[in-house]
Amino acid sequence: MYKLLRGVACCQHAANSGAVNNISRTSQRLLTTTAGGVHVDPADEQVLSKRKFQPHQAIESHDKPATQPPRQSRVVICGGGITGASVAYHLGLQGWGGETVLIEQDVVGGELPWSACGLAGRFEPSYTELKLAEYSIDLIKRLTERGLPTGWRQVGSLNLARNFDRMTSFHRMKSLAVAWGMNCEILTPQQCQQHCPLISLDGIEGGLWIPEDGVCDPHLVCHAFIAEARRLGVRIVEHCAVKKIHSAHGKVAGVETTAGDVQCDYFVNCTGFWAREVGTLSKPVVKVPLKAVEHHYLHTKPIDQLDPQTPFVRDFDGRIFFRECEGHILAGGYEREAKMVYEDGVIPLSQEARQYPPDWDHFHELLDALLQRVPAFREATLDRLTNSLQVFSPDCKWILGEAPEIQNYYVAAGNKTMGVMASGGIGRVLTDLITKGSTYLDLHILDISRFLGLHNNRKFLRDRCKEAPGKHFEINYPFEEFQTGRNLRMSPIYPQLKEAGAVFGQSMGYERPNYFDLNDKQDEFGLPRFRIAQTRTFGKPPWFDHVASEYRACRERIGIADYSSFTKYDFWSKGNEVVELLQYLCSNDVDVAVGSIIHTGMQNPNGGYENDCSLARLSERHYMMIAPTIQQTRSMCWIRKHTPDHLRAKVNVADVTSMYTAICILGPYSRILLSELTDTDLTPKSFPFFTYKELDVGLADGIRVLNITHTGELGYVLYIPNEYALHVYSRLHQAGQKYQIQHAGYYATRALRIEKFYAFWGQDLDTFTTPLECGRSWRVKFNKPIDFIGRNALLKQREEGVKRMYVQLLLNDHDHEVDMWCWGGEPIYRDGVYVGMTTTTGYGYTFEKQVCLGFVRNFDEQGQELAVSNEYVLSGHYEVEVAGVRFEAKVNLHSPNLPTKFPDREREAYHATRDKPDQADLLSFSSPGTDQTMTQH
């Protein structure tokens, strides 16, 4: 019998026969223990179900008295784990140490040093996450060099692949490494074994070696942060719990603790495992969507002659990892489906109670994979299997940023099992946000405002977080979709779309059709099936032909698309205050004729995009805003925070996203179709491009119709009160049959806008992108009577020149049938030198080529950025590197005129990107019945 398996049997017996130790006295009365774990005593179930999170109860069992916190402090950090310690340290570096207090309900650093793997690695799916991890590693190195104990060893990380797609993802990562400044190397199976002789090569196709990765002791790193924070003046208060977070006028005002109250200006929730529950201690509640799951670590007894420089090894397809740790092996992994804990919502109040009994039945699949990958494990002696509960967010990403509900309330949580890898970077960027209001990275993909209240629903988290941890080691395919937490937000026409063959994607909880497939659309009972879109390849996707058909319908006939998920706000006031507010928030001029549509950015003080939206002026004092789906929470936060005090009570802003169903009809026959269903004159003179009207459609009234499509095609978006949605949809679809109307999904409209060179927020535009960099200077009105946010930064950039420029690249000699596709994030080379990255990419069905949108920079020999001009961009020879292969590309600076059988003067005259401000006046139309000119914005 193998030693490890004998150890398994012994530990299983111990788990079955012993009770759970270290449960706080507060919890012991209410909990009983079985072999399967901790369970609620039925007699106390009703009591527990109603119990609120009250952390001060946990403190009553401590013999040590709490240190007295100060009566007043500028910043209060709650949570003495590695993230809270990092925030405290970085605030000290900024000179705020004497005005910062860190409060911990137990002891800083915790008492579970074995509850983390200790990897300090750079392998992250996004630039933002990678740079945060990179900074964390560099910081740990610096602390080590200064003599602080961290356990740091640069052993490198070896990442194994078992199949072609995983190797393709490694090749894509290798391509990105040049842009991201990361050293890595693609390995053959034999080279993998040279780096780690312990592994078996059974099933291995190759690997990715990252030599600068390492391991450390998170417990020691945390105490190093704490020691440095103390040296910099931060006050550490242990055995003290936060009871309430008070706010006044929408901002943090103070904290009530078990050892006294503290008045403060800023509060930072770094409580990790307890962050969601601590969020409930304020009014309004701060929603931090996290859910606890079981997570196991296997520890062997010391192994003779085990090389301390053994790399950190991840077998992604086996879902396992292992490393050397003080002479023994520490191993673990991520199951396909995590095991939930505390499904009744009752969270333990102590760190000791967070430790669960090991579940060998649940861990066995990972154990089998470990034994297969490292045969030597079979001769190792098991020390223990620990079950240290971890919390995950619904999208398996970190959560940080200012809470939407309360200003100056910051959150840093959801670091999964990689807290040490994230902590340094998170501490830095949170400190920047607190002390400066901005930071050096675009954080929108990690910002807490990416969530809605629905994501904090406990039952939603229970469903979703079974799946989320498993995503951690899955291949990062394009357009990957979650299988859980679905059918949550649906438009009234959802059943009709499903019946029409819709295959759905989800954004902000909203089901929207990605494409339509008439095959296999019914279940065994003949009812429409709910189908989730999957790409699962880096090459030609399985939905290619379906999207091609939808694309042609939009270009040659009529497509009908569901835009309901788009963010929709209404702004209004009694006087002219709404105009004043929007003029201040927006860089374009919003004081235009009633019925006009203004496309504008909301810039931050550095000139970057906080929002990219369309505003329809419904009346003199009433506007409707349309913004990207992912902006539903984020935009409201920005608007509320930056509304001047004298306008705060005078302007009403309402999120009306759920009140309207949005249907877009687009294509050369769309005007004719809509004309048949309304009495209003829709000719270009009466209803020109970029204008709004309220129409009767069919038998319904009050339909807000915008003469835009966000794709560049002729068409209209109808914002329909929900009670009329099914009627209007049915009339449109029925009347459109003679024009061969066809449903179109997100993928088709995305392909249309990429060919037309339309930028999109969250993909092409972010908080660091300015209008001048992406050909939108004509949408910035510097001479407005109101000084808008970001104006000075944009004026300075206009004077000095832009350091990057938005371009469109068409790939030559790329065979879409056999070559790997561009999916975004590919390096761009000019004359053989790296100059930028692609942002949005796709196949251009008119160009019959891969189309890439992205940004080009100009670096000198020392790597410094120089100004970028049109001449610089157009004079170079371009290539795009796709998974290690470079393809020649033609560059475009402005929207091309696509060949079409149905030319339209309005659309051909409009270009989404352009150089000259006077091009904004290409289109102007006389408003019927007035002398006023309506200029397209």
Side-chain angles (χ1 to χ4, degrees):
M1 188 71 172
Y2 295 127
K3 291 183 180 179
L4 183 60
L5 296 182
R6 287 204 302 272
V8 168
C10 293
C11 286
Q12 180 70 73
H13 174 73
N16 289 340
S17 60
V20 180
N21 296 320
N22 298 325
I23 298 177
S24 67
R25 285 198 287 269
T26 306
S27 304
Q28 282 179 346
R29 184 183 65 83
L30 299 174
L31 300 178
T32 59
T33 305
T34 69
V38 181
H39 298 279
V40 181
D41 189 310
D44 293 302
E45 187 171 5
Q46 186 175 4
V47 174
L48 278 174
S49 66
K50 295 181 179 179
R51 190 183 99 189
K52 293 182 178 180
F53 181 74
Q54 296 176 317
H56 64 281
Q57 293 183 5
I59 307 306
E60 295 171 0
S61 64
H62 285 289
D63 297 328
K64 297 180 180 180
T67 310
Q68 192 71 27
R71 296 295 301 272
Q72 188 167 351
S73 180
R74 199 170 186 182
V75 184
V76 172
I77 302 169
C78 183
I82 193 166
T83 303
S86 175
V87 175
Y89 164 66
H90 284 89
L91 283 168
L93 288 178
Q94 290 296 320
W96 286 36
E99 301 174 285
T100 300
V101 59
L102 185 150
I103 293 175
E104 166 58 44
Q105 71 167 351
D106 199 344
V107 293
V108 293
E111 298 176 353
L112 301 178
W114 57 83
S115 64
C117 65
L119 170 66
R122 294 167 170 79
F123 196 104
E124 291 295 333
S126 74
Y127 178 79
T128 298
E129 292 164 288
L130 181 138
K131 285 300 180 183
L132 291 174
E134 185 178 73
Y135 174 82
S136 299
I137 296 170
D138 291 342
L139 177 58
I140 292 169
K141 288 181 180 179
R142 292 198 301 272
L143 294 174
T144 305
E145 290 167 358
R146 289 168 49 191
L148 291 162
T150 62
W152 165 256
R153 283 180 291 129
Q154 186 172 314
V155 297
S157 68
L158 177 62
N159 306 282
L160 304 176
R162 298 191 186 188
N163 54 59
F164 176 80
D165 281 0
R166 181 71 68 179
M167 283 302 298
T168 300
S169 72
F170 285 173
H171 279 288
R172 289 177 58 83
M173 190 68 184
K174 170 66 175 175
S175 294
L176 289 173
V178 175
W180 290 353
M182 184 180 78
N183 296 323
C184 66
E185 181 184 354
I186 299 292
L187 303 180
T188 65
Q190 291 70 31
Q191 289 172 323
C192 291
Q193 198 168 52
Q194 290 172 11
H195 282 286
C196 184
L198 290 173
I199 65 171
S200 163
L201 296 183
D202 182 29
I204 295 300
E205 295 287 331
L208 181 73
W209 171 247
I210 308 177
E212 295 177 2
D213 284 356
V215 294
C216 61
D217 185 331
H219 195 65
L220 292 178
V221 173
C222 180
H223 281 281
F225 285 148
I226 290 292
E228 288 296 279
R230 279 196 172 107
R231 182 180 64 82
L232 293 166
V234 176
R235 187 164 180 177
I236 310 297
V237 180
E238 296 182 318
H239 307 295
C240 174
V242 170
K243 297 167 64 177
K244 288 184 181 179
I245 299 94
H246 296 286
S247 61
H249 308 294
K251 296 182 179 180
V252 168
V255 176
E256 182 180 335
T257 80
T258 53
D261 296 351
V262 184
Q263 292 182 349
C264 63
D265 298 322
Y266 298 90
F267 177 79
V268 190
N269 181 349
C270 294
T271 52
F273 185 80
W274 295 273
R276 182 175 185 267
E277 283 62 45
V278 169
T280 66
L281 302 180
S282 61
K283 290 183 180 180
V285 167
V286 170
K287 301 177 181 67
V288 187
L290 293 168
K291 186 73 178 80
V293 304
E294 295 189 10
H295 188 72
H296 290 85
Y297 292 100
L298 185 146
H299 300 253
T300 70
K301 294 287 188 182
I303 298 174
D304 291 340
Q305 299 180 342
L306 181 62
D307 186 354
Q309 286 302 111
T310 298
F312 192 105
V313 179
R314 284 178 284 197
D315 181 348
F316 285 101
D317 301 302
R319 298 178 174 272
I320 54 172
F321 63 82
F322 70 90
R323 58 162 287 201
E324 186 277 342
C325 182
E326 298 179 353
H328 69 274
I329 290 291
L330 184 159
Y334 294 90
E335 306 90 333
R336 294 181 188 278
E337 184 174 304
K339 188 175 179 183
M340 295 290 103
V341 292
Y342 309 127
E343 294 194 53
D344 57 3
V346 179
I347 304 297
L349 302 179
S350 71
Q351 197 170 51
E352 294 89 343
R354 174 180 163 186
Q355 193 71 13
Y356 241 47
D359 186 339
W360 284 100
D361 290 337
H362 192 64
F363 187 73
H364 80 90
E365 183 180 352
L366 300 180
L367 178 61
D368 289 346
L370 285 165
L371 294 173
Q372 176 192 357
R373 186 55 53 219
V374 189
F377 276 6
R378 300 171 185 174
E379 296 301 319
T381 302
L382 176 71
D383 182 13
R384 64 185 181 272
L385 180 69
T386 62
N387 189 356
S388 302
L389 308 181
Q390 302 288 343
V391 289
F392 287 81
S393 68
D395 59 2
C396 204
K397 290 185 181 296
W398 308 331
I399 300 176
L400 55 94
E402 187 175 26
E405 296 85 359
I406 304 174
Q407 290 183 37
N408 295 348
Y409 185 127
Y410 288 86
V411 176
N415 296 344
K416 305 170 286 190
T417 60
M418 305 296 180
V420 70
M421 194 165 71
S423 60
I426 288 176
R428 177 183 175 182
V429 296
L430 274 189
T431 295
D432 284 348
L433 293 175
I434 292 169
T435 60
K436 304 174 185 176
S438 63
T439 187
Y440 70 106
L441 286 172
D442 174 71
L443 299 175
H444 80 269
I445 65 167
L446 303 177
D447 198 290
I448 189 171
S449 64
R450 72 185 187 269
F451 297 115
L452 291 167
L454 66 90
H455 294 111
N456 198 48
N457 179 292
R458 185 165 56 85
K459 293 182 179 179
F460 170 82
L461 288 170
R462 180 192 62 194
D463 291 348
R464 172 58 60 82
C465 290
K466 289 180 182 178
E467 182 183 7
K471 291 281 188 183
H472 195 60
F473 271 18
E474 286 190 358
I475 297 173
N476 190 25
Y477 285 115
F479 305 137
E480 192 67 6
E481 295 282 346
F482 282 95
Q483 305 295 305
T484 54
R486 303 303 295 260
N487 283 325
L488 183 55
R489 300 178 75 194
M490 297 168 283
S491 72
I493 62 173
Y494 167 83
Q496 280 63 37
L497 298 174
K498 188 166 68 168
E499 189 173 352
V503 184
F504 291 93
Q506 189 185 68
S507 181
M508 291 294 273
Y510 218 111
E511 298 292 347
R512 64 181 182 189
N514 280 350
Y515 64 94
F516 289 80
D517 181 3
L518 296 177
N519 301 311
D520 195 29
K521 67 177 185 177
Q522 295 180 335
D523 61 18
E524 64 272 24
F525 304 107
L527 300 175
R529 291 195 302 124
F530 173 67
R531 293 177 292 176
I532 298 174
Q534 296 291 347
T535 300
R536 297 276 171 181
T537 180
F538 292 106
K540 180 183 176 181
W543 38 259
F544 179 86
D545 292 334
H546 301 297
V547 174
S549 175
E550 297 166 23
Y551 174 95
R552 285 193 297 270
C554 296
R555 293 274 289 153
E556 300 173 5
R557 305 188 309 276
I558 302 181
I560 182 168
D562 184 9
Y563 279 15
S564 300
S565 67
F566 274 50
T567 297
K568 315 171 199 61
Y569 292 171
D570 268 9
F571 294 77
W572 72 97
S573 63
K574 290 184 178 180
N576 206 46
E577 295 86 359
V578 66
V579 179
E580 182 182 347
L581 173 62
L582 290 173
Q583 289 286 55
Y584 174 67
L585 294 174
C586 300
S587 51
N588 206 340
D589 186 1
V590 306
D591 194 4
V592 293
V594 172
S596 296
I597 298 172
I598 312 99
H599 200 111
T600 182
M602 292 184 181
Q603 322 305 139
N604 56 41
N606 297 319
Y609 278 96
E610 292 295 334
N611 189 13
D612 180 51
C613 58
S614 298
L615 287 166
R617 191 166 193 180
L618 310 185
S619 69
E620 289 289 341
R621 301 179 182 91
H622 190 181
Y623 291 79
M624 182 183 192
M625 185 190 85
I626 311 300
T629 303
I630 60 174
Q631 284 276 34
Q632 189 171 350
T633 301
R634 198 174 187 283
S635 291
M636 189 65 77
C637 295
W638 180 261
I639 292 163
R640 286 175 176 167
K641 184 172 182 178
H642 292 86
T643 297
D645 289 339
H646 71 282
L647 297 176
R648 197 170 297 277
K650 298 179 179 179
V651 180
N652 297 287
V653 184
D655 183 346
V656 296
T657 301
S658 299
M659 293 174 58
Y660 291 93
T661 300
I663 298 175
C664 178
I665 55 171
L666 62 166
Y669 298 146
S670 55
R671 181 184 288 130
I672 300 171
L673 170 62
L674 189 57
S675 296
E676 295 176 1
L677 299 176
T678 185
D679 296 330
T680 303
D681 181 6
L682 302 184
T683 60
K685 184 176 181 180
S686 175
F687 193 7
F689 186 38
F690 256 78
T691 60
Y692 149 88
K693 283 185 181 294
E694 186 172 297
L695 303 181
D696 294 346
V697 178
L699 307 183
D701 71 335
I703 313 300
R704 298 178 177 181
V705 180
L706 277 61
N707 188 349
I708 56 172
T709 62
H710 308 291
T711 65
E713 303 301 318
L714 174 67
Y716 307 86
V717 184
L718 289 70
Y719 292 92
I720 312 160
N722 282 338
E723 64 268 29
Y724 294 142
L726 185 56
H727 168 79
V728 173
Y729 164 82
S730 300
R731 288 298 179 99
L732 287 169
H733 192 254
Q734 183 179 0
Q737 293 304 307
K738 56 179 167 294
Y739 305 109
Q740 296 179 286
I741 194 171
Q742 185 173 338
H743 289 94
Y746 168 70
Y747 293 164
T749 56
R750 183 177 183 273
L752 289 164
R753 72 101 172 163
I754 291 172
E755 279 194 318
K756 291 291 181 68
F757 203 1
Y758 278 38
F760 204 74
W761 197 93
Q763 298 177 33
D764 311 294
L765 311 178
D766 59 29
T767 59
F768 278 61
T769 310
T770 73
L772 279 63
E773 294 170 345
C774 54
R776 292 179 168 191
S777 58
W778 55 280
R779 287 181 178 162
V780 179
K781 301 301 185 292
F782 291 104
N783 58 352
K784 287 199 303 182
I786 293 179
D787 191 6
F788 61 88
I789 299 173
R791 179 176 181 272
N792 291 337
L794 294 177
L795 282 171
K796 181 180 179 183
Q797 188 180 58
R798 187 173 69 173
E799 182 70 24
E800 297 176 350
V802 297
K803 299 293 180 65
R804 60 176 184 162
M805 192 171 288
Y806 189 49
V807 301
Q808 183 188 65
L809 295 158
L810 309 181
L811 267 56
N812 297 323
D813 301 323
H814 182 280
D815 188 336
H816 75 277
E817 293 285 349
V818 297
D819 291 323
M820 292 295 105
W821 279 33
C822 300
W823 294 105
E826 290 82 13
I828 302 170
Y829 289 85
R830 178 186 180 274
D831 297 337
V833 178
Y834 166 76
V835 291
M837 302 280 288
T838 65
T839 51
T840 306
T841 62
Y843 185 76
Y845 290 93
T846 296
F847 288 133
E848 296 184 348
K849 295 183 181 206
Q850 290 282 320
V851 183
C852 301
L853 309 182
F855 288 88
V856 168
R857 300 175 185 265
N858 183 9
F859 299 102
D860 64 16
E861 293 181 357
Q862 287 73 40
Q864 299 297 315
E865 287 188 89
L866 305 176
V868 178
S869 64
N870 288 0
E871 292 71 26
Y872 168 82
V873 172
L874 295 173
S875 63
H877 173 267
Y878 289 87
E879 296 171 298
V880 175
E881 184 170 309
V882 186
V885 180
R886 294 189 188 181
F887 294 92
E888 184 184 19
K890 178 186 180 299
V891 66
N892 287 326
L893 270 176
H894 305 296
S895 305
N897 285 322
L898 301 182
T900 176
K901 300 176 184 177
F902 305 94
D904 182 83
R905 185 180 68 85
E906 295 179 58
R907 300 311 187 275
E908 289 177 356
Y910 176 78
H911 292 262
T913 63
R914 60 185 81 149
D915 279 331
K916 302 172 184 177
D918 59 0
Q919 284 184 288
D921 299 321
L922 283 171
L923 298 173
S924 62
F925 307 96
S926 296
S927 180
T930 72
D931 294 327
Q932 190 174 20
T933 297
M934 303 175 70
T935 302
Q936 178 273 115
H937 287 259

